[in-house]
Amino acid sequence: MTSSELWTRETAERYDAEEREHSSPAVLGPALDFLTELAGDGRALEFAIGTGRVGVPLRERGVPVVGIELSEHMAAVLRRKADEATLPVALGDMATTVVPGEFALVYLVYNTISNLLTQDEQVECFRNAARHLRPGGRFVIELGVPPLRFLPPGQVAVPFDVSERHLGFDTFDLVQQILVSHHFTRDGAAGAYRRDDSQHRYAWPAELDLMARIAGLELERRVGDWDGSPFTQDCAKHVSVWRKPV
């Protein structure tokens, strides 16, 4: 069902080190606060849980967490942090894999719904979230707003990071709604650069709202970040919450 690119063992092993900044209390804390409040006294299901950057500390806050993960290598890194009894993980794609029970919260962070490269698969992801939610439960997505306003006529690339150890830019296929993220990361003292590329299907907030309606979910809230700041036309991303009717 899924067109997601599969994370390799090499990529999984270096993921936590490369995402250390996004795992800091300053960055991760507001997300954990947001998700903990929505979960309440219920269980949470993380789609594409990866190495557990969010799921493990959320479990440490007392929220029972279950994960779905496509890459066995990413799940293996998570398993070093929490055993199966503490944080169960099902290997499979987030559009069709089903785990037992109902959840108060299903969440999908860090642009990961864009790993599904077709609209049909993204719709199925919403349907899968609705399938797992109890009545009144919420589905949360964190997703960047496509930076197409930075594209003058004839330009197909937008830089998103220019730093000492990393160069990153996105190229766009505006017909297929596909962007490719290009990363050049300097490894080691020798200063050689490693190149990585990944494909993503971008979607506007309004398109996600329609996917939610197809899945029987209703938009409850949309904010500009985990701290609850307002979502405006200048926001680089949004955090959206849809609710399953009672």
Side-chain angles (χ1 to χ4, degrees):
M1 176 63 203
T2 181
S3 58
S4 296
E5 297 174 340
L6 193 61
W7 291 70
T8 65
R9 176 179 284 106
E10 180 184 8
T11 305
E13 290 294 337
R14 64 173 182 254
Y15 182 83
D16 284 347
E18 293 185 345
E19 297 297 334
R20 187 175 293 113
E21 179 182 349
H22 291 96
S23 300
S24 67
V27 174
L28 195 54
L32 296 175
D33 292 341
F34 194 103
L35 296 172
T36 300
E37 180 180 357
L38 287 182
D41 60 357
R43 298 196 304 157
L45 172 62
E46 181 171 356
F47 285 173
I49 194 170
T51 65
R53 181 183 68 90
V54 176
V56 170
L58 187 63
R59 181 66 184 89
E60 291 171 350
R61 287 194 174 204
V63 178
V65 177
V66 177
I68 293 174
E69 173 54 42
L70 183 62
S71 169
E72 62 178 314
H73 304 300
M74 296 288 276
V77 175
L78 181 153
R79 195 50 71 222
R80 301 170 195 164
K81 308 171 187 178
D83 60 25
E84 179 69 17
T86 302
L87 204 167
V89 176
L91 290 178
D93 71 84
M94 56 188 164
T96 63
T97 303
V98 177
V99 298
E102 287 188 324
F103 296 83
L105 173 67
V106 178
Y107 65 95
L108 184 52
V109 300
Y110 207 23
N111 300 323
T112 311
I113 193 171
S114 69
N115 291 357
L116 297 170
L117 300 181
T118 71
Q119 186 183 70
D120 285 345
E121 289 175 354
Q122 291 178 351
V123 169
E124 288 305 315
C125 181
F126 271 84
R127 283 178 166 151
N128 201 28
R131 183 180 297 124
H132 286 92
L133 286 172
R134 70 188 188 190
R138 275 89 170 193
F139 182 34
V140 177
I141 285 181
E142 175 190 24
L143 184 61
V145 177
L148 301 188
R149 64 193 303 185
F150 297 112
L151 283 175
Q155 181 174 313
V156 296
V158 173
F160 58 84
D161 185 32
V162 180
S163 57
E164 182 180 355
R165 302 195 64 84
H166 179 255
L167 301 174
F169 61 92
D170 293 330
T171 55
F172 293 84
D173 179 336
L174 301 182
V175 175
Q176 299 297 325
Q177 286 184 219
I178 296 292
L179 70 84
V180 180
S181 284
H182 306 267
H183 301 264
F184 294 85
T185 307
R186 189 158 63 181
D187 282 334
Y193 279 86
R194 181 186 75 250
R195 176 173 179 170
D196 300 291
D197 302 304
S198 59
Q199 294 188 80
H200 306 269
R201 182 185 188 271
Y202 62 84
W204 299 99
E207 185 181 3
L208 298 181
D209 290 342
L210 183 56
M211 294 180 189
R213 288 175 57 190
I214 292 171
L217 305 176
E218 302 170 346
L219 180 66
E220 181 175 76
R221 179 165 42 141
R222 174 167 292 125
V223 292
D225 209 337
W226 295 108
D227 60 6
S229 55
F231 177 66
T232 71
Q233 65 178 0
D234 295 320
C235 288
K237 73 173 186 179
H238 61 96
V239 176
S240 297
V241 182
W242 296 273
R243 183 173 180 268
K244 184 173 184 177
V246 176

